Amino acid sequence: DVKVTQSSRYLVKRTGEKVFLECVQDMDHENMFWYRQDPGLGLRLIYFSYDVKMKEKGDIPEGYSVSREKKERFSLILESASTNQTSMYLCASSKTTPTFTGELFFGEGSRLTVL
Amino acid sequence: KNQVEQSPQSLIILEGKNCTLQCNYTVSPFSNLRWYKQDTGRGPVSLTIMTFSENTKSNGRYTATLDADTKQSSLHITASQLSDSASYICVVSAIAGGGADGLTFGKGTHLIIQP
């Protein structure tokens, strides 16, 4: 059974803390993505990666960075968490580029609260 | 600007009844359209994909339609069950443009099935 695993389902952090969200996929997919999901706004792309050590900014990259040292692992980093980064974070992977019929496989999500 | 509008925002129906969810898009040039189901607190899961040449596709009690001329899609759920309670997200892929990942997400329809 294919799987995208996010390390933490729920996190509570304080303003200014550094936060790491980890994502691992077991499908040998080239493409990995980080989205955030907020009520009334839908899913918004933060960063994505089409290969190891490669990263591309999404639509809302400010305040975030990413790391992809291995094909199966894609990490999202909040250098200094702020309250407006309280959100549900979803990691996804795909075999082919989503534009060309590629299906996104999502993790269960990480709900982050920044106090 | 590429956009995906879903209606209604939320819907409550009785178990056993049918319902239809709508998705209108202005994404161009069109590649494909997917419907995802997202259970509360979980990641989205793909239900079906519609490409330009497809008008109707079924997946069990779910039937998706696509009218590429009017740029509209619908998701029809037959004989609803309590497990159908979820958010349904319409995602349209562009061959070029859209978000940085080539995708434009709708904000979703929140469906509640009452016993």
Side-chain angles (χ1 to χ4, degrees), chain B residues 6-42:
Chain B
Q6 290 188 244
S7 62
Q9 274 189 313
S10 60
L11 181 63
I12 302 173
I13 64 171
L14 292 175
E15 186 179 10
K17 298 295 186 182
N18 303 336
C19 66
T20 300
L21 313 181
Q22 298 288 347
C23 175
N24 298 340
Y25 62 92
T26 59
V27 175
S28 181
F30 176 86
S31 174
N32 64 82
L33 181 150
R34 278 190 188 270
W35 284 95
Y36 285 85
K37 178 188 179 190
Q38 184 176 22
D39 293 320
T40 301
R42 310 293 290 271

PDB file of all heavy atoms in Angstrom, chain B residues 6-42:
ATOM      1  N   GLN B   6     -16.031  26.358  -6.748  1.00  0.00           N
ATOM      2  CA  GLN B   6     -16.859  25.210  -6.410  1.00  0.00           C
ATOM      3  C   GLN B   6     -18.134  25.672  -5.716  1.00  0.00           C
ATOM      4  O   GLN B   6     -18.132  26.631  -4.935  1.00  0.00           O
ATOM      5  CB  GLN B   6     -16.100  24.247  -5.489  1.00  0.00           C
ATOM      6  CG  GLN B   6     -14.960  23.526  -6.178  1.00  0.00           C
ATOM      7  CD  GLN B   6     -14.365  22.447  -5.310  1.00  0.00           C
ATOM      8  OE1 GLN B   6     -13.204  22.528  -4.927  1.00  0.00           O
ATOM      9  NE2 GLN B   6     -15.161  21.423  -5.007  1.00  0.00           N
ATOM     10  N   SER B   7     -19.205  24.960  -5.999  1.00  0.00           N
ATOM     11  CA  SER B   7     -20.473  25.247  -5.333  1.00  0.00           C
ATOM     12  C   SER B   7     -21.245  23.952  -5.106  1.00  0.00           C
ATOM     13  O   SER B   7     -21.085  22.989  -5.858  1.00  0.00           O
ATOM     14  CB  SER B   7     -21.307  26.212  -6.189  1.00  0.00           C
ATOM     15  OG  SER B   7     -21.611  25.623  -7.442  1.00  0.00           O
ATOM     16  N   PRO B   8     -22.056  23.912  -4.041  1.00  0.00           N
ATOM     17  CA  PRO B   8     -22.127  24.925  -2.988  1.00  0.00           C
ATOM     18  C   PRO B   8     -20.903  24.849  -2.075  1.00  0.00           C
ATOM     19  O   PRO B   8     -20.122  23.913  -2.170  1.00  0.00           O
ATOM     20  CB  PRO B   8     -23.400  24.531  -2.242  1.00  0.00           C
ATOM     21  CG  PRO B   8     -23.456  23.044  -2.390  1.00  0.00           C
ATOM     22  CD  PRO B   8     -22.922  22.764  -3.773  1.00  0.00           C
ATOM     23  N   GLN B   9     -20.759  25.807  -1.173  1.00  0.00           N
ATOM     24  CA  GLN B   9     -19.665  25.746  -0.199  1.00  0.00           C
ATOM     25  C   GLN B   9     -19.879  24.600   0.771  1.00  0.00           C
ATOM     26  O   GLN B   9     -18.927  23.925   1.182  1.00  0.00           O
ATOM     27  CB  GLN B   9     -19.586  27.057   0.592  1.00  0.00           C
ATOM     28  CG  GLN B   9     -18.779  28.146  -0.065  1.00  0.00           C
ATOM     29  CD  GLN B   9     -18.563  29.313   0.869  1.00  0.00           C
ATOM     30  OE1 GLN B   9     -19.509  29.780   1.512  1.00  0.00           O
ATOM     31  NE2 GLN B   9     -17.347  29.782   0.957  1.00  0.00           N
ATOM     32  N   SER B  10     -21.133  24.412   1.163  1.00  0.00           N
ATOM     33  CA  SER B  10     -21.466  23.317   2.072  1.00  0.00           C
ATOM     34  C   SER B  10     -22.846  22.787   1.723  1.00  0.00           C
ATOM     35  O   SER B  10     -23.667  23.503   1.119  1.00  0.00           O
ATOM     36  CB  SER B  10     -21.412  23.781   3.526  1.00  0.00           C
ATOM     37  OG  SER B  10     -22.327  24.829   3.745  1.00  0.00           O
ATOM     38  N   LEU B  11     -23.078  21.538   2.103  1.00  0.00           N
ATOM     39  CA  LEU B  11     -24.312  20.861   1.720  1.00  0.00           C
ATOM     40  C   LEU B  11     -24.625  19.809   2.774  1.00  0.00           C
ATOM     41  O   LEU B  11     -23.733  19.059   3.195  1.00  0.00           O
ATOM     42  CB  LEU B  11     -24.128  20.207   0.346  1.00  0.00           C
ATOM     43  CG  LEU B  11     -25.294  19.453  -0.277  1.00  0.00           C
ATOM     44  CD1 LEU B  11     -26.459  20.398  -0.526  1.00  0.00           C
ATOM     45  CD2 LEU B  11     -24.851  18.797  -1.573  1.00  0.00           C
ATOM     46  N   ILE B  12     -25.882  19.773   3.189  1.00  0.00           N
ATOM     47  CA  ILE B  12     -26.339  18.752   4.133  1.00  0.00           C
ATOM     48  C   ILE B  12     -27.471  17.979   3.480  1.00  0.00           C
ATOM     49  O   ILE B  12     -28.448  18.582   3.021  1.00  0.00           O
ATOM     50  CB  ILE B  12     -26.838  19.385   5.453  1.00  0.00           C
ATOM     51  CG1 ILE B  12     -25.731  20.222   6.107  1.00  0.00           C
ATOM     52  CG2 ILE B  12     -27.317  18.297   6.415  1.00  0.00           C
ATOM     53  CD1 ILE B  12     -26.195  21.008   7.318  1.00  0.00           C
ATOM     54  N   ILE B  13     -27.331  16.648   3.415  1.00  0.00           N
ATOM     55  CA  ILE B  13     -28.385  15.814   2.850  1.00  0.00           C
ATOM     56  C   ILE B  13     -28.607  14.600   3.737  1.00  0.00           C
ATOM     57  O   ILE B  13     -27.759  14.239   4.561  1.00  0.00           O
ATOM     58  CB  ILE B  13     -28.066  15.360   1.409  1.00  0.00           C
ATOM     59  CG1 ILE B  13     -26.831  14.459   1.386  1.00  0.00           C
ATOM     60  CG2 ILE B  13     -27.897  16.552   0.490  1.00  0.00           C
ATOM     61  CD1 ILE B  13     -26.590  13.804   0.033  1.00  0.00           C
ATOM     62  N   LEU B  14     -29.755  13.959   3.555  1.00  0.00           N
ATOM     63  CA  LEU B  14     -30.067  12.762   4.327  1.00  0.00           C
ATOM     64  C   LEU B  14     -29.431  11.533   3.683  1.00  0.00           C
ATOM     65  O   LEU B  14     -29.315  11.445   2.448  1.00  0.00           O
ATOM     66  CB  LEU B  14     -31.572  12.582   4.435  1.00  0.00           C
ATOM     67  CG  LEU B  14     -32.307  13.630   5.283  1.00  0.00           C
ATOM     68  CD1 LEU B  14     -33.813  13.407   5.206  1.00  0.00           C
ATOM     69  CD2 LEU B  14     -31.831  13.590   6.724  1.00  0.00           C
ATOM     70  N   GLU B  15     -29.038  10.607   4.512  1.00  0.00           N
ATOM     71  CA  GLU B  15     -28.477   9.339   4.043  1.00  0.00           C
ATOM     72  C   GLU B  15     -29.407   8.679   3.039  1.00  0.00           C
ATOM     73  O   GLU B  15     -30.639   8.659   3.223  1.00  0.00           O
ATOM     74  CB  GLU B  15     -28.264   8.411   5.246  1.00  0.00           C
ATOM     75  CG  GLU B  15     -27.561   7.117   4.936  1.00  0.00           C
ATOM     76  CD  GLU B  15     -27.360   6.261   6.174  1.00  0.00           C
ATOM     77  OE1 GLU B  15     -27.946   6.604   7.231  1.00  0.00           O
ATOM     78  OE2 GLU B  15     -26.622   5.261   6.097  1.00  0.00           O
ATOM     79  N   GLY B  16     -28.819   8.180   1.964  1.00  0.00           N
ATOM     80  CA  GLY B  16     -29.609   7.525   0.933  1.00  0.00           C
ATOM     81  C   GLY B  16     -29.985   8.431  -0.228  1.00  0.00           C
ATOM     82  O   GLY B  16     -30.341   7.952  -1.308  1.00  0.00           O
ATOM     83  N   LYS B  17     -29.917   9.753  -0.012  1.00  0.00           N
ATOM     84  CA  LYS B  17     -30.252  10.694  -1.076  1.00  0.00           C
ATOM     85  C   LYS B  17     -29.069  10.892  -2.009  1.00  0.00           C
ATOM     86  O   LYS B  17     -27.920  10.608  -1.669  1.00  0.00           O
ATOM     87  CB  LYS B  17     -30.667  12.041  -0.475  1.00  0.00           C
ATOM     88  CG  LYS B  17     -31.909  11.967   0.394  1.00  0.00           C
ATOM     89  CD  LYS B  17     -33.125  11.577  -0.420  1.00  0.00           C
ATOM     90  CE  LYS B  17     -34.395  11.652   0.423  1.00  0.00           C
ATOM     91  NZ  LYS B  17     -35.591  11.219  -0.349  1.00  0.00           N
ATOM     92  N   ASN B  18     -29.355  11.434  -3.192  1.00  0.00           N
ATOM     93  CA  ASN B  18     -28.314  11.769  -4.176  1.00  0.00           C
ATOM     94  C   ASN B  18     -27.950  13.242  -4.065  1.00  0.00           C
ATOM     95  O   ASN B  18     -28.745  14.058  -3.560  1.00  0.00           O
ATOM     96  CB  ASN B  18     -28.817  11.500  -5.601  1.00  0.00           C
ATOM     97  CG  ASN B  18     -29.268  10.074  -5.809  1.00  0.00           C
ATOM     98  OD1 ASN B  18     -28.833   9.167  -5.100  1.00  0.00           O
ATOM     99  ND2 ASN B  18     -30.154   9.884  -6.777  1.00  0.00           N
ATOM    100  N   CYS B  19     -26.758  13.592  -4.540  1.00  0.00           N
ATOM    101  CA  CYS B  19     -26.387  15.005  -4.571  1.00  0.00           C
ATOM    102  C   CYS B  19     -25.397  15.245  -5.704  1.00  0.00           C
ATOM    103  O   CYS B  19     -24.763  14.309  -6.207  1.00  0.00           O
ATOM    104  CB  CYS B  19     -25.796  15.466  -3.242  1.00  0.00           C
ATOM    105  SG  CYS B  19     -24.221  14.725  -2.823  1.00  0.00           S
ATOM    106  N   THR B  20     -25.286  16.503  -6.103  1.00  0.00           N
ATOM    107  CA  THR B  20     -24.368  16.891  -7.177  1.00  0.00           C
ATOM    108  C   THR B  20     -23.571  18.103  -6.745  1.00  0.00           C
ATOM    109  O   THR B  20     -24.142  19.105  -6.295  1.00  0.00           O
ATOM    110  CB  THR B  20     -25.128  17.205  -8.468  1.00  0.00           C
ATOM    111  OG1 THR B  20     -25.857  16.046  -8.883  1.00  0.00           O
ATOM    112  CG2 THR B  20     -24.166  17.609  -9.570  1.00  0.00           C
ATOM    113  N   LEU B  21     -22.260  18.001  -6.893  1.00  0.00           N
ATOM    114  CA  LEU B  21     -21.347  19.087  -6.560  1.00  0.00           C
ATOM    115  C   LEU B  21     -20.819  19.685  -7.868  1.00  0.00           C
ATOM    116  O   LEU B  21     -20.553  18.949  -8.824  1.00  0.00           O
ATOM    117  CB  LEU B  21     -20.178  18.576  -5.714  1.00  0.00           C
ATOM    118  CG  LEU B  21     -20.537  17.661  -4.539  1.00  0.00           C
ATOM    119  CD1 LEU B  21     -19.272  17.250  -3.791  1.00  0.00           C
ATOM    120  CD2 LEU B  21     -21.536  18.303  -3.618  1.00  0.00           C
ATOM    121  N   GLN B  22     -20.646  21.000  -7.887  1.00  0.00           N
ATOM    122  CA  GLN B  22     -20.265  21.684  -9.111  1.00  0.00           C
ATOM    123  C   GLN B  22     -18.854  22.267  -9.031  1.00  0.00           C
ATOM    124  O   GLN B  22     -18.396  22.682  -7.962  1.00  0.00           O
ATOM    125  CB  GLN B  22     -21.241  22.819  -9.404  1.00  0.00           C
ATOM    126  CG  GLN B  22     -22.668  22.388  -9.637  1.00  0.00           C
ATOM    127  CD  GLN B  22     -22.849  21.680 -10.985  1.00  0.00           C
ATOM    128  OE1 GLN B  22     -21.975  21.719 -11.841  1.00  0.00           O
ATOM    129  NE2 GLN B  22     -23.979  20.999 -11.147  1.00  0.00           N
ATOM    130  N   CYS B  23     -18.200  22.305 -10.182  1.00  0.00           N
ATOM    131  CA  CYS B  23     -16.876  22.907 -10.302  1.00  0.00           C
ATOM    132  C   CYS B  23     -16.800  23.649 -11.622  1.00  0.00           C
ATOM    133  O   CYS B  23     -16.954  23.045 -12.685  1.00  0.00           O
ATOM    134  CB  CYS B  23     -15.802  21.818 -10.243  1.00  0.00           C
ATOM    135  SG  CYS B  23     -14.118  22.397 -10.531  1.00  0.00           S
ATOM    136  N   ASN B  24     -16.608  24.962 -11.574  1.00  0.00           N
ATOM    137  CA  ASN B  24     -16.423  25.778 -12.771  1.00  0.00           C
ATOM    138  C   ASN B  24     -14.991  26.308 -12.786  1.00  0.00           C
ATOM    139  O   ASN B  24     -14.476  26.730 -11.741  1.00  0.00           O
ATOM    140  CB  ASN B  24     -17.399  26.959 -12.787  1.00  0.00           C
ATOM    141  CG  ASN B  24     -18.839  26.503 -12.829  1.00  0.00           C
ATOM    142  OD1 ASN B  24     -19.135  25.385 -13.209  1.00  0.00           O
ATOM    143  ND2 ASN B  24     -19.741  27.382 -12.411  1.00  0.00           N
ATOM    144  N   TYR B  25     -14.376  26.291 -13.941  1.00  0.00           N
ATOM    145  CA  TYR B  25     -12.974  26.695 -13.997  1.00  0.00           C
ATOM    146  C   TYR B  25     -12.708  27.609 -15.179  1.00  0.00           C
ATOM    147  O   TYR B  25     -13.447  27.611 -16.165  1.00  0.00           O
ATOM    148  CB  TYR B  25     -12.061  25.468 -14.056  1.00  0.00           C
ATOM    149  CG  TYR B  25     -12.250  24.593 -15.275  1.00  0.00           C
ATOM    150  CD1 TYR B  25     -11.498  24.792 -16.426  1.00  0.00           C
ATOM    151  CD2 TYR B  25     -13.186  23.559 -15.258  1.00  0.00           C
ATOM    152  CE1 TYR B  25     -11.684  23.990 -17.535  1.00  0.00           C
ATOM    153  CE2 TYR B  25     -13.369  22.758 -16.363  1.00  0.00           C
ATOM    154  CZ  TYR B  25     -12.617  22.968 -17.494  1.00  0.00           C
ATOM    155  OH  TYR B  25     -12.808  22.180 -18.601  1.00  0.00           O
ATOM    156  N   THR B  26     -11.646  28.384 -15.027  1.00  0.00           N
ATOM    157  CA  THR B  26     -11.213  29.249 -16.126  1.00  0.00           C
ATOM    158  C   THR B  26      -9.774  28.932 -16.511  1.00  0.00           C
ATOM    159  O   THR B  26      -9.107  29.739 -17.143  1.00  0.00           O
ATOM    160  CB  THR B  26     -11.316  30.740 -15.728  1.00  0.00           C
ATOM    161  OG1 THR B  26     -10.488  30.966 -14.579  1.00  0.00           O
ATOM    162  CG2 THR B  26     -12.741  31.135 -15.424  1.00  0.00           C
ATOM    163  N   VAL B  27      -9.293  27.751 -16.089  1.00  0.00           N
ATOM    164  CA  VAL B  27      -7.912  27.347 -16.344  1.00  0.00           C
ATOM    165  C   VAL B  27      -7.701  27.087 -17.825  1.00  0.00           C
ATOM    166  O   VAL B  27      -8.467  26.389 -18.470  1.00  0.00           O
ATOM    167  CB  VAL B  27      -7.574  26.076 -15.534  1.00  0.00           C
ATOM    168  CG1 VAL B  27      -6.175  25.581 -15.877  1.00  0.00           C
ATOM    169  CG2 VAL B  27      -7.694  26.360 -14.040  1.00  0.00           C
ATOM    170  N   SER B  28      -6.607  27.637 -18.340  1.00  0.00           N
ATOM    171  CA  SER B  28      -6.283  27.457 -19.749  1.00  0.00           C
ATOM    172  C   SER B  28      -4.773  27.568 -19.952  1.00  0.00           C
ATOM    173  O   SER B  28      -4.138  28.424 -19.307  1.00  0.00           O
ATOM    174  CB  SER B  28      -7.010  28.531 -20.574  1.00  0.00           C
ATOM    175  OG  SER B  28      -6.739  28.371 -21.941  1.00  0.00           O
ATOM    176  N   PRO B  29      -4.173  26.779 -20.795  1.00  0.00           N
ATOM    177  CA  PRO B  29      -4.746  25.657 -21.528  1.00  0.00           C
ATOM    178  C   PRO B  29      -4.947  24.435 -20.620  1.00  0.00           C
ATOM    179  O   PRO B  29      -4.066  24.058 -19.866  1.00  0.00           O
ATOM    180  CB  PRO B  29      -3.667  25.370 -22.584  1.00  0.00           C
ATOM    181  CG  PRO B  29      -2.396  25.845 -21.966  1.00  0.00           C
ATOM    182  CD  PRO B  29      -2.760  27.012 -21.111  1.00  0.00           C
ATOM    183  N   PHE B  30      -6.103  23.828 -20.761  1.00  0.00           N
ATOM    184  CA  PHE B  30      -6.551  22.756 -19.874  1.00  0.00           C
ATOM    185  C   PHE B  30      -5.776  21.472 -20.126  1.00  0.00           C
ATOM    186  O   PHE B  30      -5.537  21.078 -21.275  1.00  0.00           O
ATOM    187  CB  PHE B  30      -8.044  22.533 -20.113  1.00  0.00           C
ATOM    188  CG  PHE B  30      -8.641  21.388 -19.336  1.00  0.00           C
ATOM    189  CD1 PHE B  30      -9.088  21.582 -18.043  1.00  0.00           C
ATOM    190  CD2 PHE B  30      -8.779  20.131 -19.911  1.00  0.00           C
ATOM    191  CE1 PHE B  30      -9.659  20.546 -17.334  1.00  0.00           C
ATOM    192  CE2 PHE B  30      -9.343  19.089 -19.216  1.00  0.00           C
ATOM    193  CZ  PHE B  30      -9.782  19.294 -17.918  1.00  0.00           C
ATOM    194  N   SER B  31      -5.375  20.795 -19.046  1.00  0.00           N
ATOM    195  CA  SER B  31      -4.757  19.486 -19.156  1.00  0.00           C
ATOM    196  C   SER B  31      -5.688  18.408 -18.607  1.00  0.00           C
ATOM    197  O   SER B  31      -6.038  17.473 -19.317  1.00  0.00           O
ATOM    198  CB  SER B  31      -3.422  19.452 -18.410  1.00  0.00           C
ATOM    199  OG  SER B  31      -2.896  18.142 -18.408  1.00  0.00           O
ATOM    200  N   ASN B  32      -6.077  18.522 -17.342  1.00  0.00           N
ATOM    201  CA  ASN B  32      -6.982  17.540 -16.750  1.00  0.00           C
ATOM    202  C   ASN B  32      -7.618  18.114 -15.491  1.00  0.00           C
ATOM    203  O   ASN B  32      -7.188  19.152 -14.977  1.00  0.00           O
ATOM    204  CB  ASN B  32      -6.247  16.232 -16.439  1.00  0.00           C
ATOM    205  CG  ASN B  32      -5.160  16.414 -15.403  1.00  0.00           C
ATOM    206  OD1 ASN B  32      -5.422  16.426 -14.210  1.00  0.00           O
ATOM    207  ND2 ASN B  32      -3.909  16.573 -15.852  1.00  0.00           N
ATOM    208  N   LEU B  33      -8.633  17.415 -15.000  1.00  0.00           N
ATOM    209  CA  LEU B  33      -9.355  17.837 -13.799  1.00  0.00           C
ATOM    210  C   LEU B  33      -9.503  16.631 -12.892  1.00  0.00           C
ATOM    211  O   LEU B  33      -9.892  15.552 -13.338  1.00  0.00           O
ATOM    212  CB  LEU B  33     -10.730  18.413 -14.186  1.00  0.00           C
ATOM    213  CG  LEU B  33     -11.642  18.939 -13.067  1.00  0.00           C
ATOM    214  CD1 LEU B  33     -12.529  20.064 -13.612  1.00  0.00           C
ATOM    215  CD2 LEU B  33     -12.485  17.859 -12.438  1.00  0.00           C
ATOM    216  N   ARG B  34      -9.179  16.818 -11.627  1.00  0.00           N
ATOM    217  CA  ARG B  34      -9.338  15.732 -10.645  1.00  0.00           C
ATOM    218  C   ARG B  34     -10.291  16.156  -9.550  1.00  0.00           C
ATOM    219  O   ARG B  34     -10.309  17.327  -9.151  1.00  0.00           O
ATOM    220  CB  ARG B  34      -7.997  15.383  -9.995  1.00  0.00           C
ATOM    221  CG  ARG B  34      -7.127  14.455 -10.803  1.00  0.00           C
ATOM    222  CD  ARG B  34      -5.935  13.976  -9.988  1.00  0.00           C
ATOM    223  NE  ARG B  34      -4.999  13.226 -10.814  1.00  0.00           N
ATOM    224  CZ  ARG B  34      -5.063  11.924 -10.994  1.00  0.00           C
ATOM    225  NH1 ARG B  34      -6.020  11.221 -10.389  1.00  0.00           N
ATOM    226  NH2 ARG B  34      -4.186  11.312 -11.752  1.00  0.00           N
ATOM    227  N   TRP B  35     -11.031  15.186  -9.057  1.00  0.00           N
ATOM    228  CA  TRP B  35     -11.812  15.354  -7.838  1.00  0.00           C
ATOM    229  C   TRP B  35     -11.118  14.568  -6.724  1.00  0.00           C
ATOM    230  O   TRP B  35     -10.784  13.386  -6.887  1.00  0.00           O
ATOM    231  CB  TRP B  35     -13.234  14.828  -8.028  1.00  0.00           C
ATOM    232  CG  TRP B  35     -14.114  15.718  -8.822  1.00  0.00           C
ATOM    233  CD1 TRP B  35     -14.366  15.663 -10.159  1.00  0.00           C
ATOM    234  CD2 TRP B  35     -14.909  16.807  -8.314  1.00  0.00           C
ATOM    235  NE1 TRP B  35     -15.250  16.646 -10.530  1.00  0.00           N
ATOM    236  CE2 TRP B  35     -15.598  17.354  -9.409  1.00  0.00           C
ATOM    237  CE3 TRP B  35     -15.101  17.365  -7.049  1.00  0.00           C
ATOM    238  CZ2 TRP B  35     -16.473  18.445  -9.281  1.00  0.00           C
ATOM    239  CZ3 TRP B  35     -15.971  18.435  -6.922  1.00  0.00           C
ATOM    240  CH2 TRP B  35     -16.641  18.967  -8.023  1.00  0.00           C
ATOM    241  N   TYR B  36     -10.912  15.249  -5.597  1.00  0.00           N
ATOM    242  CA  TYR B  36     -10.336  14.624  -4.410  1.00  0.00           C
ATOM    243  C   TYR B  36     -11.374  14.634  -3.292  1.00  0.00           C
ATOM    244  O   TYR B  36     -12.153  15.583  -3.159  1.00  0.00           O
ATOM    245  CB  TYR B  36      -9.102  15.391  -3.925  1.00  0.00           C
ATOM    246  CG  TYR B  36      -7.851  15.200  -4.757  1.00  0.00           C
ATOM    247  CD1 TYR B  36      -7.635  15.971  -5.893  1.00  0.00           C
ATOM    248  CD2 TYR B  36      -6.873  14.266  -4.406  1.00  0.00           C
ATOM    249  CE1 TYR B  36      -6.480  15.810  -6.659  1.00  0.00           C
ATOM    250  CE2 TYR B  36      -5.720  14.100  -5.167  1.00  0.00           C
ATOM    251  CZ  TYR B  36      -5.537  14.874  -6.288  1.00  0.00           C
ATOM    252  OH  TYR B  36      -4.392  14.712  -7.043  1.00  0.00           O
ATOM    253  N   LYS B  37     -11.316  13.584  -2.461  1.00  0.00           N
ATOM    254  CA  LYS B  37     -12.145  13.511  -1.262  1.00  0.00           C
ATOM    255  C   LYS B  37     -11.231  13.656  -0.051  1.00  0.00           C
ATOM    256  O   LYS B  37     -10.200  12.976   0.026  1.00  0.00           O
ATOM    257  CB  LYS B  37     -12.879  12.168  -1.191  1.00  0.00           C
ATOM    258  CG  LYS B  37     -13.730  11.999   0.050  1.00  0.00           C
ATOM    259  CD  LYS B  37     -14.281  10.586   0.157  1.00  0.00           C
ATOM    260  CE  LYS B  37     -15.112  10.426   1.417  1.00  0.00           C
ATOM    261  NZ  LYS B  37     -15.466   9.022   1.689  1.00  0.00           N
ATOM    262  N   GLN B  38     -11.608  14.547   0.869  1.00  0.00           N
ATOM    263  CA  GLN B  38     -10.810  14.749   2.071  1.00  0.00           C
ATOM    264  C   GLN B  38     -11.674  14.537   3.306  1.00  0.00           C
ATOM    265  O   GLN B  38     -12.525  15.370   3.628  1.00  0.00           O
ATOM    266  CB  GLN B  38     -10.183  16.147   2.095  1.00  0.00           C
ATOM    267  CG  GLN B  38      -9.261  16.364   3.290  1.00  0.00           C
ATOM    268  CD  GLN B  38      -8.559  17.706   3.273  1.00  0.00           C
ATOM    269  OE1 GLN B  38      -9.011  18.648   2.630  1.00  0.00           O
ATOM    270  NE2 GLN B  38      -7.438  17.810   3.966  1.00  0.00           N
ATOM    271  N   ASP B  39     -11.446  13.420   3.993  1.00  0.00           N
ATOM    272  CA  ASP B  39     -12.119  13.185   5.263  1.00  0.00           C
ATOM    273  C   ASP B  39     -11.555  14.129   6.316  1.00  0.00           C
ATOM    274  O   ASP B  39     -10.398  14.559   6.228  1.00  0.00           O
ATOM    275  CB  ASP B  39     -11.925  11.741   5.720  1.00  0.00           C
ATOM    276  CG  ASP B  39     -12.627  10.751   4.814  1.00  0.00           C
ATOM    277  OD1 ASP B  39     -13.758  11.056   4.374  1.00  0.00           O
ATOM    278  OD2 ASP B  39     -12.058   9.682   4.525  1.00  0.00           O
ATOM    279  N   THR B  40     -12.351  14.444   7.318  1.00  0.00           N
ATOM    280  CA  THR B  40     -11.945  15.381   8.362  1.00  0.00           C
ATOM    281  C   THR B  40     -10.652  14.917   9.027  1.00  0.00           C
ATOM    282  O   THR B  40     -10.542  13.775   9.465  1.00  0.00           O
ATOM    283  CB  THR B  40     -13.052  15.521   9.412  1.00  0.00           C
ATOM    284  OG1 THR B  40     -14.246  15.979   8.771  1.00  0.00           O
ATOM    285  CG2 THR B  40     -12.649  16.522  10.483  1.00  0.00           C
ATOM    286  N   GLY B  41      -9.655  15.808   9.072  1.00  0.00           N
ATOM    287  CA  GLY B  41      -8.396  15.495   9.728  1.00  0.00           C
ATOM    288  C   GLY B  41      -7.482  14.576   8.934  1.00  0.00           C
ATOM    289  O   GLY B  41      -6.475  14.106   9.476  1.00  0.00           O
ATOM    290  N   ARG B  42      -7.796  14.327   7.671  1.00  0.00           N
ATOM    291  CA  ARG B  42      -6.974  13.443   6.836  1.00  0.00           C
ATOM    292  C   ARG B  42      -6.517  14.189   5.582  1.00  0.00           C
ATOM    293  O   ARG B  42      -6.966  15.300   5.294  1.00  0.00           O
ATOM    294  CB  ARG B  42      -7.776  12.199   6.425  1.00  0.00           C
ATOM    295  CG  ARG B  42      -8.475  11.485   7.545  1.00  0.00           C
ATOM    296  CD  ARG B  42      -7.517  10.836   8.515  1.00  0.00           C
ATOM    297  NE  ARG B  42      -6.838   9.708   7.946  1.00  0.00           N
ATOM    298  CZ  ARG B  42      -7.313   8.457   7.987  1.00  0.00           C
ATOM    299  NH1 ARG B  42      -8.472   8.210   8.559  1.00  0.00           N
ATOM    300  NH2 ARG B  42      -6.622   7.473   7.472  1.00  0.00           N
TER     301      ARG B  42
END
